[in-house]
Amino acid sequence: MTKIMNVAMIGGGFMGKAHAMAYASMPMFFWPAPAIPHRKVVVDVTDFTAEEARRRYGFEEASSDWRAVVNRPDIDIVDICTPNSVHAEIAIEAATAGKHIICEKPLARTVEEARAMRDAVKAAGVIHMVAFNYRRTPAVALAKKYIDEGRIGRILNFRGTYLQDWSADPDSPLSWRFQKKIAGSGSVGDIGTHVVDLAHYLVGPIAEVTAIASTYNKTRPLQQGGVDKLGAAEKSKDAERGEVDVDDEIVSMLKFADGAIGSLEATRNAYGRNNFITLEIHGTKGSIHFNYERRDELQVMFADDPGDARGFRTIYTGPAHPYGDGLWPIPGLGIGYSETKIIECFDFFSAIAKGRQPSPNFEDGLLTELVADALLRSSQTGKWEKVE
């Protein structure tokens, strides 16, 4: 009989919705499931918002006391979907209580917090994962398969971007993502870490960086009410304004530990770009290109193609590709953001069932935070900075 595991989800906002959908859907896609997620308790900042999340996301109970919940003996898994400022506190408490943990990215605000989280889960011997879900996109997993098989040879260059426009308007609200004390950093931690994770996944460790960071909008209107208005449509030009003390954009050159070179660009101020994650990898025997806004497609070029067939070909992911057995039966039917979270959920529960750490885990999350720290240091010193 498939084991049922009780989940306590801390945070009932945007990411809570994505995770709750994954818990409900994972056994439908991947059957027999490694375990059945039971949506036991959802925690939010007030009893009212917690109860709203419980009703909306299908949890059995609601609470506004995360400490009491993570220490309950009937909780198997703690899912951290909160702003970055409380990731470390919750994760360390949950690890001490012996719970398996999945934490939204970035793992922490600082290297020190990330290291403390890594140390806590290692000491506790629990399963832990960081929710960098974009590497779960089947086309990205297919790129990894080709690279591991040597299909494009030795990697020479990586080029990665993550461009958005939701914060380009200076009169959009002062989300917590614009406040260093809560977020830790701006575009670096919020979206740049996704590119770093993809680079680590596909190429390998980043050893050294040089970067320029910019903040374009120094103030933003203070939010009204207790709900974070990420990318809100309404503008508040005449409202009282608060300081923005994080980066809006990061542009960097990279040196990888194995000798490859590359570049990284992340911005939330690129009008016309919605969720424009791209990567291009050149090797000694071919190239790979991926654009998340066309996430069912992977473009590949192999140098040993005949002369009359040279150039990029488009592969539509489907049953023959990674995770294809659990998704849709026909190539090109299309997946969405929610499917990447479903796959992430499947991999996390599979890791628990097998008793081995998934990837990316808190060790990987710490490595990503070390790169983020180097990027920000370089933007201040104007020099190449080693990833410590």
Side-chain angles (χ1 to χ4, degrees):
M1 183 175 178
T2 305
K3 185 176 182 180
I4 296 174
M5 304 195 75
N6 288 336
V7 178
M9 188 174 76
I10 320 298
F14 159 62
M15 289 313 308
K17 177 170 66 174
H19 285 224
M21 183 181 299
Y23 293 133
S25 302
M26 186 270 283
M28 303 179 199
F29 282 84
F30 296 97
W31 188 260
I36 303 295
H38 177 57
R39 287 161 284 167
K40 185 68 175 178
V41 190
V42 61
V43 180
D44 212 70
V45 290
T46 69
D47 289 340
F48 175 80
T49 55
E51 176 60 20
E52 284 286 292
R54 184 197 70 78
R55 295 172 59 199
R56 183 178 185 183
Y57 301 146
F59 278 77
E60 185 177 315
E61 302 174 34
S63 175
S64 57
D65 186 348
W66 67 260
R67 281 190 176 83
V69 169
V70 301
N71 283 286
R72 283 172 43 169
D74 60 339
I75 297 300
D76 302 302
I77 292 166
V78 171
D79 181 358
I80 304 172
C81 298
T82 65
N84 307 342
S85 55
V86 288
H87 283 189
E89 188 177 14
I90 297 172
I92 293 169
E93 183 89 11
T96 303
K99 312 303 182 185
H100 305 304
I101 306 166
I102 181 169
C103 181
E104 263 303 324
K105 45 57 59 184
L107 183 60
R109 293 176 297 179
T110 65
V111 168
E112 292 73 22
E113 286 182 347
R115 185 173 285 116
M117 295 168 73
R118 187 278 313 270
D119 291 347
V121 294
K122 284 185 70 175
V126 298
I127 301 299
H128 45 94
M129 176 184 270
V130 187
F132 284 113
N133 60 299
Y134 292 126
R135 66 157 72 184
R136 258 73 195 192
T137 309
V140 174
L142 179 61
K144 171 70 169 171
K145 178 177 181 289
Y146 287 155
I147 291 168
D148 289 348
E149 291 173 348
R151 299 285 294 278
I152 66 167
R154 178 172 58 86
I155 293 176
L156 305 173
N157 177 276
F158 168 92
R159 183 183 303 114
T161 73
Y162 197 155
L163 314 181
Q164 296 178 327
D165 68 358
W166 64 268
S167 72
D169 191 320
D171 294 322
S172 59
L174 185 72
S175 164
W176 63 262
R177 287 171 170 81
F178 300 117
Q179 302 173 59
K180 185 175 182 179
K181 65 181 180 182
I182 304 176
S185 63
S187 61
V188 171
D190 190 24
I191 56 178
T193 51
H194 273 298
V195 182
V196 173
D197 180 68
L198 290 171
H200 282 168
Y201 177 54
L202 296 170
V203 181
I206 296 169
E208 198 170 353
V209 303
T210 183
I212 300 172
S214 296
T215 302
Y216 303 121
N217 301 308
K218 308 295 186 182
T219 64
R220 290 184 181 274
L222 297 178
Q223 296 186 131
Q224 305 302 311
V227 178
D228 187 63
K229 297 180 179 179
L230 168 66
E234 69 268 21
K235 308 305 174 187
S236 308
K237 185 176 295 187
D238 299 324
E240 182 182 355
R241 302 178 77 89
E243 180 187 3
V244 173
D245 57 359
V246 297
D247 54 287
D248 285 324
E249 179 163 346
I250 189 81
V251 177
S252 176
M253 291 189 291
L254 313 171
K255 294 179 183 178
F256 290 84
D258 67 354
I261 60 174
S263 64
L264 176 156
E265 181 180 358
T267 181
R268 302 179 298 198
N269 283 65
Y271 275 122
R273 294 302 187 191
N274 297 302
N275 205 52
F276 191 69
I277 308 169
T278 69
L279 59 89
E280 188 160 319
I281 300 173
H282 303 290
T284 55
K285 296 166 64 176
S287 297
I288 290 171
H289 173 76
F290 172 74
N291 172 5
Y292 182 78
E293 292 184 356
R294 302 184 67 88
R295 55 189 163 269
D296 300 302
E297 302 175 9
L298 183 68
Q299 291 189 305
V300 297
M301 188 277 176
F302 299 119
D304 57 3
D305 287 340
D308 62 354
R310 293 177 67 85
F312 280 99
R313 72 186 74 170
T314 299
I315 298 171
Y316 294 94
T317 53
H321 302 119
Y323 305 110
D325 289 344
L327 296 172
W328 306 111
I330 300 172
L333 279 183
I335 69 162
Y337 180 84
S338 58
E339 278 90 346
T340 67
K341 302 304 283 188
I342 292 167
I343 295 169
E344 177 181 85
C345 179
F346 168 72
D347 283 346
F348 180 54
F349 277 78
S350 295
I352 294 172
K354 295 172 183 176
R356 64 188 188 205
Q357 296 300 342
S359 181
N361 53 48
F362 282 19
E363 189 74 54
D364 301 301
L366 171 58
L367 292 175
T368 298
E369 192 58 42
L370 287 165
V371 175
D373 180 71
L375 290 168
L376 292 170
R377 280 191 284 114
S378 177
S379 72
Q380 295 170 347
T381 65
K383 300 177 181 179
W384 281 93
E385 294 286 344
K386 294 186 182 299
V387 178
E388 300 298 339

